Structure formats: C-alpha cells, structure tokens
Amino acid sequence: MKAKASPAPPLIIENGTLILPDQLIGGGSLLCERGRITAIGKEVSPPRNALRVDAKGGYISPGFIDIHVHGGAGADFMDGTVPAVRTALQAHARHGTTTIFPTTTTGSPPQITAMLAACRKARRAWQPAHGSRIAGVHLYGPYFAPDKVGCHSREGRRSPSTREYTQWFRDDLVRIATCAAELPGAVEFYQAARRHKCLVTCGHSNANWAEMAAAFKAGMRHVDHFWCAMSSVASLRGRFGTPMQASMEQFVLATPDMSTEIIADGMHLSPELLDFALRMKGPQRLCLVTDCNRALDMPPGRYRFGPQQDGAFFESDGKVGFVPGEGLASSVVGMDHMLRHMKKSTSATLPQAVRMASLTPAERAGIAKTCGSLEKGKQADILVLNRKLEVQRTFISGVEVLAD
C-alpha cells in the first residue's frame, strides 16, 4: 500500500505590506497551513516548524486571476495537448497568475474539443508545480460576428449551434462563455450558458443597444476586452444607417450590473481610456486581463494565433502582437505587467489595481469564496512583490512555484 505524502509544513510570509481589497497594511504577516490562509495581520504567531519567507519590505499580494488568456512561452491552449497547456500554465505562474481560465479561439469543432479535453486532463492531474491552477475554461471563440473576427482565423468562425455547445457544456469545465449578441441563436446560447452557471459574456461583436438588451435579459453580464473588437456608434452606422445607434460601449457604461475587462499593456489602450474605464465602472466591475498569446516570454518573430497547425499568423515585436497592415493581435506580456502599467498610468490605487487582477475576476467568475484575496480560509495563492511590483516569489496552495 502506497504511503500518503506528508503535508507541507506551515508557511509564514512576513516583513511585507499586505495588499487587501480596500487597504494596505504595513509590517504584515500571513500564515498558511495545509494550503489555506489561517492567519493574517501585523502580529501572527507561527508554529515552531513553520517555514519563514522574508518579503524584504515588499508587498504580499493575492495571486492574480486571468479570465481571458490564450497561451505563453510558445504554446497556445488551442494546440490541444497537455504539454502545451502546462507550458502556458508555468509561463503565467512566473508572472503571478495563480488561477487561470484557458481561453479558446475560433477553430473547427475537433480543435475546440481537443483544447477542452487537454485542459480537462491537465486540471484533473494538476499540482502546484504545473503552474497556474485551472479554474475552468473560457469558451471564447468560435461564436464571433463576421465583421469583428480580429486576428482570429476567419475559417473557424460561426454562429452558435445547440448540438455543438451542448456537448461542450456537458460537465463543469466551461465556466465563462462568449458569443456575439447579434448572431442567430445567441439568445439561446446565453440562456444555456446561464443554466450552466457560467459568466456569460459578449465579445467580438457589432451589436447595438437593442441586441445587448436582449442578451442581458438572457443572462449576459460581461463584455470582453473593452474597446477592442466591439461595436461603436460609428461601426453601427454601417449596419443600420441613421439615426445613429447606441453601441456596446454605451450599454456597458449605462448598466450597473455589467462588467468588462481591459488589456493594460500600454499598447492596446491609452492611459486616458484606462482611467476612463476605471472611473466609469469602478474596480468592482472592471477586470484586468492579459488576452496573452503564445509569444509571451518569446523573442520577437512570427507566430500562430490559436492552433499551431493552422492558426492565423501574427507578429510580435516583444511589446505587442500585431498583424502587419491590419491591427493588434492580443498581448505578449503577463498580468504583472498589466498591474504595473495600471498603477503607473491611471488614478488607480494599489489595492484597486490588485483587486482588478484578483478579487474582481474571482467574483465575476463565481470563485471568490476560495480565492482572489488575502482572507482567512481562502487558498494560499500568494505573491511576494518587490516595491516595483515585480514578482519575486509565487505560492499556489501554499506551495512555491519555482521559476525555470
């Protein structure tokens, strides 16, 4: 009979500033036992056998949560293999993401099914050494509007099919589900995703207010990467002529229950737009996402977006992905970069910026009871950051994830 592995010893992280959702606590400590946070504050008494981690005057932060991310370190989740999934998980853990929602692109039914199967296998066998914890999959592609496909493969785009997505909703793997609101069958898709208890989202869409209102009634509550591949008053004039129509932007900003997300890499949105989004929606309804592709931590060059075998080509200059002569093609940097840029370039306080990268996505995805903030009883998913907000150490369930 195989002996059970002994539990990891208690862990205390001390001599740092605790980043809570609404405040900073200097000179703080945090105790982890059996993968959970068991004590937090200025005076924490650890057991004698506790491992001690010195934050060296830096910050003790909750691990980041990314609800929109495609890959990293040369791998895309749509490659559809467990090794590719684990490569991307390890890459994002290095950048502070402890909980992740691997995100589909457009693709054929077999390609998306293979991606889901690989993520399912990786999640089933997961351990902290593998990198970020998979909380679920974001079914993002293939249900995009034909005029808002962006850098994704056009051949893999289609309208929702009940037979197709019912198969993908067969278990609890898909936790976030996207569809363009104007597509035929979109309302039925949203209703099915809501019954499945997903965060229901609209993205890559040229929908007007009426279509967004119908989507909202069916359960849609979130819009992907604000201002990117989404309708505007100007774009809707091409669909509807005059009088001009209100767009996704106006609907999101006018509807308190709607949340959205921003790519704060410094390349997609100006500081003024980032700050405007923060002022309009607030940190409780605005998530930071990476929307990162396989070029994360890779040299500048030409890569495929989505499946390695036939995904659309894009280029990376080390700062952002782009399709020459067309536009941007998602980001090539991690969540730590998004946090630093949001803090530096907007009016966000540090607790607000960290919240947008941790607790807010946890709340929107329905996992905030177990992660997203430094609270007693939650998973010990913790980062040690230096004063420049650079990741120094990453712990998932109280186990350190070492950089390669």
Side-chain angles (χ1 to χ4, degrees):
M1 183 175 179
K2 189 176 180 179
K4 290 184 179 179
S6 59
L11 170 74
I12 183 165
I13 305 175
E14 53 195 350
N15 187 28
T17 297
L18 297 163
I19 304 177
L20 305 185
D22 58 354
Q23 64 178 313
L24 300 174
I25 298 179
S29 299
L30 184 148
L31 179 64
C32 313
E33 297 175 282
R34 297 182 180 272
R36 299 277 173 178
I37 298 171
T38 55
I40 183 170
K42 281 182 169 290
E43 296 182 7
V44 174
S45 299
R48 289 184 178 180
N49 65 332
L51 296 176
R52 290 183 177 270
V53 172
D54 186 359
K56 300 179 180 179
Y59 295 103
I60 303 171
S61 169
F64 303 142
I65 298 173
D66 199 347
I67 62 174
H68 186 161
V69 51
H70 296 285
D76 192 298
F77 292 114
M78 285 292 292
D79 291 345
T81 68
V82 172
V85 171
R86 287 182 178 161
T87 294
L89 298 183
Q90 289 168 345
H92 284 278
R94 290 194 293 270
H95 292 274
T97 295
T98 54
T99 299
I100 200 167
F101 290 82
T103 303
T104 62
T105 63
T106 60
S108 68
Q111 287 173 329
I112 293 177
T113 298
M115 182 273 196
L116 295 174
C119 289
R120 187 177 290 111
K121 289 178 183 177
R123 183 173 72 161
R124 194 173 295 143
W126 177 86
Q127 52 187 276
H130 294 161
S132 309
R133 177 194 298 104
I134 296 177
V137 163
H138 181 170
L139 183 67
Y140 183 56
Y143 304 141
F144 294 168
D147 52 347
K148 292 292 183 180
V149 175
C151 66
H152 293 248
S153 170
R154 294 184 181 278
E155 288 73 21
R157 185 222 70 84
R158 52 194 174 276
S159 295
S161 156
T162 303
R163 176 178 294 181
E164 183 175 64
Y165 63 70
T166 298
Q167 173 189 347
W168 295 336
F169 287 161
R170 67 181 174 84
D171 59 15
D172 67 348
L173 182 65
V174 175
R175 306 313 314 141
I176 304 172
T178 290
C179 180
E182 69 270 37
L183 294 180
V187 166
E188 292 77 10
F189 174 85
Y190 293 142
Q191 291 170 337
R194 180 172 62 178
R195 288 193 300 270
H196 196 60
K197 296 184 166 63
C198 292
L199 170 61
V200 186
T201 81
C202 177
H204 285 261
S205 170
N206 199 24
N208 69 358
W209 183 290
E211 290 160 333
M212 290 294 288
F216 185 84
K217 185 177 180 180
M220 185 273 300
R221 291 295 183 273
H222 184 84
V223 160
D224 301 303
H225 49 36
F226 210 49
W227 291 302
C228 300
M230 62 178 263
S231 64
S232 65
V233 172
S235 75
L236 289 172
R237 191 166 184 177
R239 282 189 68 198
F240 297 101
T242 55
M244 288 185 282
Q245 300 280 313
S247 71
M248 294 168 68
E249 177 186 18
Q250 286 76 45
F251 187 86
V252 170
L253 296 180
T255 308
D257 285 345
M258 285 294 298
S259 59
T260 189
E261 60 194 45
I262 46 176
I263 307 170
D265 61 351
M267 304 301 292
H268 278 75
L269 302 174
S270 70
E272 293 81 9
L273 281 178
L274 294 173
D275 204 51
F276 178 74
L278 173 62
R279 292 184 185 189
M280 293 297 101
K281 295 306 296 183
Q284 291 83 10
R285 287 291 184 273
L286 186 65
C287 302
L288 291 179
V289 298
T290 65
D291 190 19
C292 190
N293 59 49
R294 69 171 78 240
L296 171 71
D297 294 340
M298 298 293 285
R302 192 169 186 242
Y303 298 90
R304 283 193 185 272
F305 192 85
Q308 183 63 53
Q309 60 267 37
D310 63 358
F313 282 109
F314 72 96
E315 293 186 16
S316 167
D317 60 5
K319 296 180 180 178
V320 73
F322 62 95
V323 178
E326 294 187 24
L328 298 184
S330 87
S331 89
V332 300
V333 295
M335 191 67 84
D336 54 344
H337 179 103
M338 307 291 169
L339 172 68
R340 290 192 295 271
H341 185 70
M342 194 71 189
K343 178 63 180 69
K344 175 184 176 182
S345 302
T346 75
S347 60
T349 65
L350 183 55
Q352 287 176 331
V354 169
R355 188 191 212 286
M356 288 185 279
S358 53
L359 183 57
T360 299
E363 289 172 341
R364 302 310 287 164
I367 58 173
K369 289 184 178 179
T370 60
C371 61
S373 57
L374 302 181
E375 294 182 57
K376 189 175 178 180
K378 288 193 175 184
Q379 292 163 177
D381 300 340
I382 302 157
L383 308 177
V384 176
L385 310 175
N386 65 18
R387 302 302 289 189
K388 295 180 180 179
L389 303 180
E390 296 166 332
V391 177
Q392 302 300 294
R393 302 178 77 167
T394 300
F395 298 87
I396 304 178
S397 293
V399 176
E400 185 163 16
V401 179
L402 300 175
D404 294 338

